[in-house]
Amino acid sequence: NAGVTQTPKFRVLKTGQSMTLLCAQDMNHEYMYWYRQDPGMGLRLIHYSVGEGTTAKGEVPDGYNVSRLKKQNFLLGLESAAPSQTSVYFCASRGLAGGDALTGELFFGEGSRLTVL
Amino acid sequence: AQSVAQPEDQVNVAEGNPLTVKCTYSVSGNPYLFWYVQYPNRGLQFLLKYITGDNLVKGSYGFEAEFNKSQTSFHLKKPSALVSDSALYFCAVRAPGYSTLTFGKGTMLLVSP
């Protein structure tokens, strides 16, 4: 089982460049999330989606955009990268069906390390 | 609103000794509480959760956690630490009706041989 797959795993950008991080899950999960992890800050939610075609802002959405055109994919875009966006980005998903509709745990990808110079 | 605090940046324990990683939370209503572990250069892995019922929850790798409503705490415990338990541990909370999970800042657990 692949679970949650993030691509690319590493990327170096120059300030002002754009890029897209792709998250793909093969568990038919409804909910998908993008977090960023910074030293001493824990995980902070950027954007999330509660189903195909939906997106919502999290705690730190500025400078990022997302799209959920297909249920299995959740894309995170940086239109004009800034050094403050240097971070490790994690995608996660959660299922809806069954007894764990609201209590299910998140499944995480392995992370994408982004450096903005 | 929902928030969680992990008061210790790092916990040091000798192998074979019991370990505790602390977590306190703040939510309106009854919380859903989670512990995750992150090994170096890896994603987070689910350890255990409290939804309702017995205050002592058992999870993966011999870990357990105790829910204490009066102290709004959900401390992670293990009776006998292993060097391989060394990792970054995150506590997380979700309030009823919320779609999102709020994480603490993480506690680094270092188990020495």
Side-chain angles (χ1 to χ4, degrees):
Chain A
N1 291 333
V4 179
T5 303
Q6 294 181 227
T7 53
K9 289 183 170 44
F10 301 94
R11 185 74 187 269
V12 178
L13 289 177
K14 294 181 179 179
T15 297
Q17 287 184 320
S18 63
M19 76 158 297
T20 301
L21 296 176
L22 170 63
C23 176
Q25 52 94 4
D26 61 1
M27 297 172 283
N28 200 36
H29 283 172
E30 293 290 337
Y31 295 79
M32 296 187 75
Y33 306 82
W34 275 108
Y35 288 90
R36 59 177 290 173
Q37 183 179 23
D38 302 290
M41 304 290 288
L43 273 74
R44 293 181 291 170
L45 182 64
I46 305 171
H47 286 281
Y48 66 101
S49 169
V50 300
E52 181 178 325
T54 75
T55 63
K57 294 181 180 180
E59 180 185 356
V60 288
D62 293 342
Y64 304 95
N65 56 76
V66 288
S67 64
R68 183 96 182 270
L69 298 180
K70 294 182 179 180
K71 185 177 183 179
Q72 63 269 33
N73 295 336
F74 194 31
L75 279 64
L76 178 70
L78 286 71
E79 291 187 347
S80 180
S84 61
Q85 295 177 303
T86 294
S87 186
V88 181
Y89 292 86
F90 285 98
C91 178
S93 70
R94 177 166 69 89
L96 178 63
D100 282 342
L102 294 176
T103 61
E105 61 268 25
L106 297 179
F107 292 80
F108 282 84
E110 294 289 286
S112 298
R113 185 175 296 274
L114 176 65
T115 301
V116 183
L117 302 176
Chain B
Q2 54 189 34
S3 65
V4 62
Q6 295 181 241
E8 303 153 317
D9 291 335
Q10 184 168 307
V11 170
N12 297 296
V13 64
E15 188 173 34
N17 284 356
L19 68 88
T20 299
V21 182
K22 296 179 180 178
C23 171
T24 59
Y25 67 90
S26 175
V27 297
S28 298
N30 295 318
Y32 303 139
L33 293 156
F34 301 79
W35 275 102
Y36 289 82
V37 60
Q38 184 182 31
Y39 298 101
N41 300 313
R42 302 296 300 275
L44 278 70
Q45 298 177 30
F46 169 75
L47 273 181
L48 52 80
K49 65 183 176 184
Y50 172 82
I51 304 302
T52 187
D54 194 348
N55 289 343
L56 185 63
V57 179
K58 295 187 182 297
S60 306
Y61 312 122
F63 283 93
E64 58 190 27
E66 185 170 11
F67 171 65
N68 187 318
K69 188 171 184 178
S70 63
Q71 297 185 3
T72 62
S73 66
F74 189 56
H75 301 331
L76 181 70
K77 300 180 180 183
K78 187 174 183 181
S80 178
L82 299 173
V83 172
S84 57
D85 292 331
S86 297
L88 186 59
Y89 290 81
F90 289 96
C91 182
V93 66
R94 179 185 300 133
Y98 274 64
S99 299
T100 62
L101 202 59
T102 297
F103 286 84
K105 295 182 185 231
T107 298
M108 179 63 71
L109 173 66
L110 294 177
V111 182
S112 56

